[in-house]
């Protein structure tokens, strides 16, 4: 007998509906799964066999064929255990029920328990798009699945619970989602009030937060670069609901969604070590391609400490920094992940860290300093909007009892500037000034005659590229937004130039 059950696969960040066909025929006992499944899919035969038996049902000693359609789509992971088991019980007539309007997702334990599955959010989303009315998911994934409105979510704890539900013996209750707005406010590990001194660096980071700009901080060891980078997340505006869904979907597919956090409400802060592999940065894997750190930092911050130590791996950031996406090409096709993040980097000026320090002598040779600074390529440096020097903080500022300005106060100014940009870019795909292309720059970043003369002299003296010219204008536009000015003045442009031209000095 033949039975058909629906499940779902994940390609990139999008779900794809999969039809699980189970056929039981006379012949020598055999259990075959076809349809381009990976090792985890093939191993589901043993999980399903044990789960069916341990839930009180009998496993058919016949020729069993399972087809995962479409057959040319690669299937990965254990999410097909539950639909295969239900399809087998339906085909063997041990369970009678209607599942034509349902999608089943879940890994099975040998005792019949239904376990967590990665990527539930995009799977449920595609089910709703295809007109499916019900989705059966593992109990611990119900809160995540309920983020998709307009579809019935039914949590399942055990296989025999689902068979009893389908047979009409004992109905499983539908999951009742909780109001999302009741989530507690985010807790930030570092507040800007604990940062002593470095007022010009904090001003630069406020500008970066307001416009989504990339920043490179250079300074001696212990000057507070890492501390300020970690505090930056506390002045960014909270995620909108659409942004939170985007981020949650990425973490769900990557298998990094916390169990007690069905919806991520705090902007990500990702700080990969310089020994992280290329696949760890951009994403990759075998059959099951997963997003890397630059996608996990989507709508948040990617912090690269000791930037020169990353070496040639930094070149993989060039395309994501421009296009806001990362495309992974494999033999089976291409997968695109979003990668719209703020790049915040920190570096020492030389190997020993004291080059240019007024109080401590550098022990590096001139050749060693040049060699160290050349580890980061010119094209990568050109993609930073701001270059900030963080000197050592003097004793009197470190010893002061007066706290600095709190992150909440700075965040209010940042949110006000972001609201100006929201009104400016309404009806477009742009969110911040850093997203602007040449057409938008020409429209929104016009200079008066005095500012044009300043910009012309800067271009001539510092041999700026076209990319550098555009980044200065976007930076000036953000500074004007923070000041509440509708026009870019010479003062705004001058401040933008001082952040950008430090690299050229």
């Amino acid at each position: 007998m033949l039975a058909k059950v629906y499940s779902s696969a994940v390609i990139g960040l999008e779900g794809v509906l999969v039809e699980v066909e189970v056929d039981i025929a006379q012949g020598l006992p055999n259990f075959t799964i076809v349809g381009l499944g990976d090792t985890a899919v093939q191993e589901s035969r043993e999980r399903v066999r044990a789960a069916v038996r341990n839930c009180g049902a009998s496993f058919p000693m016949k020729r069993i064929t399972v087809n995962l359609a479409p057959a040319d789509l690669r299937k990965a992971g254990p999410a097909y255990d539950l639909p295969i088991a239900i399809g087998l019980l339906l085909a063997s007539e041990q369970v009678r029920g209607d599942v034509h309007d349902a999608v089943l997702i879940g890994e099975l334990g040998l005792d019949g328990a239904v376990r967590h599955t990665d990527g539930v959010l995009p799977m449920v989303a595609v089910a709703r798009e295809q007109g499916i009315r019900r989705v059966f998911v593992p109990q611990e994934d119900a809160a995540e699945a309920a983020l998709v409105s307009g579809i019935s979510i039914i949590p399942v704890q055990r296989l025999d619970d689902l068979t009893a539900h389908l047979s009409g013996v004992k109905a499983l209750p539908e999951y009742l989602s909780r109001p999302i707005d009741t989530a507690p406010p985010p807790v930030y590990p570092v507040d800007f009030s604990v940062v002593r001194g470095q007022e010009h660096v904090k001003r630069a980071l406020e500008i970066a937060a307001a416009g989504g700009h990339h920043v490179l901080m250079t300074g001696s060891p212990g000057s507070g670069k890492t501390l300020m980078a970690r505090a930056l997340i506390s002045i960014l505006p909270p995620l909108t609901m659409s942004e939170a869904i985007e981020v949650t979907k990425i973490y769900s597919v990557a298998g990094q969604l916390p169990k007690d956090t069905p919806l991520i409400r705090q902007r990500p802060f990702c700080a990969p070590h310089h020994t992280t592999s290329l696949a760890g940065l951009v994403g990759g894997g075998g059959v099951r391609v997963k997003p890397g750190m630059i996608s996990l930092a989507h709508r948040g911050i990617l912090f690269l400490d000791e930037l020169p130590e990353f070496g040639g791996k930094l070149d993989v950031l060039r395309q994501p920094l421009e296009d806001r996406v990362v495309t992974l090409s494999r033999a089976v096709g291409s997968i695109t992940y979003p990668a719209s993040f703020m790049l915040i980097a920190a570096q020492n000026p030389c190997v020993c860290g004291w080059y240019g320090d007024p109080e401590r002598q550098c022990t590096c040779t001139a050749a060693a300093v040049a060699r160290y600074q050349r580890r980061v390529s010119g094209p990568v440096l050109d993609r930073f909007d701001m270059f900030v020097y963080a000197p050592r903080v003097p004793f009197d500022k470190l010893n002061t009892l007066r706290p600095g300005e709190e992150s909440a106060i700075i965040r209010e100014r940042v949110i006000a500037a972001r609201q100006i940009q929201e009104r400016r870019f309404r009806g477009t795909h742009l969110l911040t000034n850093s997203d602007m292309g040449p057409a938008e720059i020409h429209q929104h970043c016009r200079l008066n005659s005095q500012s044009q003369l300043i910009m012309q002299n800067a271009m001539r003296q510092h041999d700026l590229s076209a990319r550098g010219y555009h980044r200065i204008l976007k930076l000036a536009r953000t500074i004007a937004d923070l000041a509440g000015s509708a026009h870019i003045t010479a003062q705004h442009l001058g401040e933008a130039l001082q952040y950008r031209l430090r690299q050229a000095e």
Side-chain angles (χ1 to χ4, degrees), residues 31 45 48-50 52-53 57-61 64 88 94:
F31 193 176
R45 293 175 296 179
V48 169
R49 191 193 311 270
V52 167
R53 288 174 173 170
S58 61
F59 190 86
M61 299 305 293
I64 303 171
L88 188 148
Q94 298 181 69

Side-chain angles (χ1 to χ4, degrees), residues 258-271:
K259 291 183 179 180
D260 57 345
T261 310
L263 179 66
I264 294 179
R265 300 304 302 267
Q266 186 168 336
R267 293 188 180 272
F269 182 89
C270 297

Side-chain angles (χ1 to χ4, degrees), residues 180-189 238-239 263-267 411:
I180 296 176
D181 293 337
T182 60
V187 177
Y188 302 106
L239 288 169
L263 179 66
I264 294 179
R265 300 304 302 267
Q266 186 168 336
R267 293 188 180 272
R411 186 166 61 247

Side-chain angles (χ1 to χ4, degrees), residues 187-484:
V187 177
Y188 302 106
V190 182
D191 192 279
F192 261 112
S193 61
V194 304
V195 180
R196 300 291 188 263
Q198 305 292 17
E199 301 302 328
H200 69 292
V201 182
K202 289 190 281 189
R203 165 64 177 173
L205 293 179
E206 178 181 342
I207 296 170
H213 301 289
H214 309 308
V215 183
L216 173 58
M217 294 182 287
T218 304
S220 303
S223 58
K225 302 184 295 296
T226 301
L227 181 68
M228 288 184 286
R230 295 190 179 278
L232 176 59
I233 200 74
S234 67
I235 66 172
L236 290 176
L239 288 169
T240 64
M241 182 52 62
S242 60
E243 290 176 330
I245 293 293
E246 288 179 18
V247 175
T248 302
K249 187 180 290 188
I250 295 172
Y251 277 75
S252 175
V253 172
Q256 298 192 27
L257 190 64
K259 291 183 179 180
D260 57 345
T261 310
L263 179 66
I264 294 179
R265 300 304 302 267
Q266 186 168 336
R267 293 188 180 272
F269 182 89
C270 297
H273 192 260
H274 61 79
T275 57
T276 303
S277 65
L278 284 175
L281 282 174
V282 302
V287 176
R288 198 173 188 185
V289 179
K290 290 192 174 184
M293 294 295 284
I294 63 176
S295 292
L296 293 173
H298 182 62
R299 303 301 181 195
I301 294 174
L302 179 67
F303 176 54
L304 302 183
D305 202 3
E306 305 295 343
L307 185 69
E309 301 298 331
F310 284 84
K313 287 183 287 190
L314 292 173
D315 288 331
V316 302
L317 295 175
R318 291 162 62 173
Q319 181 246 347
L321 287 174
E322 290 295 320
D323 302 335
R324 305 286 180 170
V325 296
V326 56
T327 301
L328 306 176
S329 297
R330 298 293 184 267
V332 295
S334 296
I335 295 176
T336 299
Y337 290 119
S340 180
F341 55 85
M342 287 177 59
L343 176 60
I344 308 299
Q347 65 176 9
N348 295 329
C350 64
V351 177
C352 75
W354 304 108
Y355 178 74
D357 190 271
E359 299 179 11
R360 187 163 176 174
Q361 186 175 2
C362 173
T363 60
C364 303
T365 64
V369 173
R371 205 163 42 243
Y372 182 79
Q373 295 178 349
R374 282 198 304 267
R375 291 184 184 180
V376 183
S377 66
V380 172
L381 288 175
D382 203 32
R383 283 166 170 78
F384 282 98
D385 300 298
M386 309 174 73
F387 300 92
V388 186
Y389 180 70
R392 283 197 296 170
V393 182
F395 172 78
D396 58 337
K397 289 188 177 181
L398 285 175
N399 195 46
T400 182
L401 297 178
R402 185 176 64 182
E405 190 175 24
E406 293 182 356
S407 292
I409 299 175
I410 304 174
R411 186 166 61 247
E412 289 179 0
R413 296 197 295 266
V414 171
I415 291 175
R418 288 280 185 113
Q419 289 173 343
I420 294 174
Q421 296 166 56
E422 181 183 356
R423 292 192 294 269
R424 176 182 299 136
F425 302 131
R426 185 167 296 158
T428 71
H429 67 282
L430 306 178
L431 295 177
T432 61
N433 289 330
S434 64
D435 297 330
M436 287 191 292
E440 292 80 17
I441 292 173
H442 178 72
Q443 180 181 357
H444 301 296
C445 302
R446 296 179 180 177
L447 303 177
N448 56 30
S449 57
Q450 181 184 6
S451 299
Q452 287 181 11
L453 182 61
I454 295 173
M455 194 69 194
Q456 183 180 7
N457 291 333
M459 290 281 292
R460 184 186 305 112
Q461 294 176 12
H462 299 281
D463 194 23
L464 295 175
S465 65
R467 181 184 290 114
Y469 168 74
H470 287 151
R471 290 187 181 275
I472 290 172
L473 291 181
K474 290 190 286 187
L475 197 57
R477 179 66 269 171
T478 300
I479 296 172
D481 290 342
L482 278 170

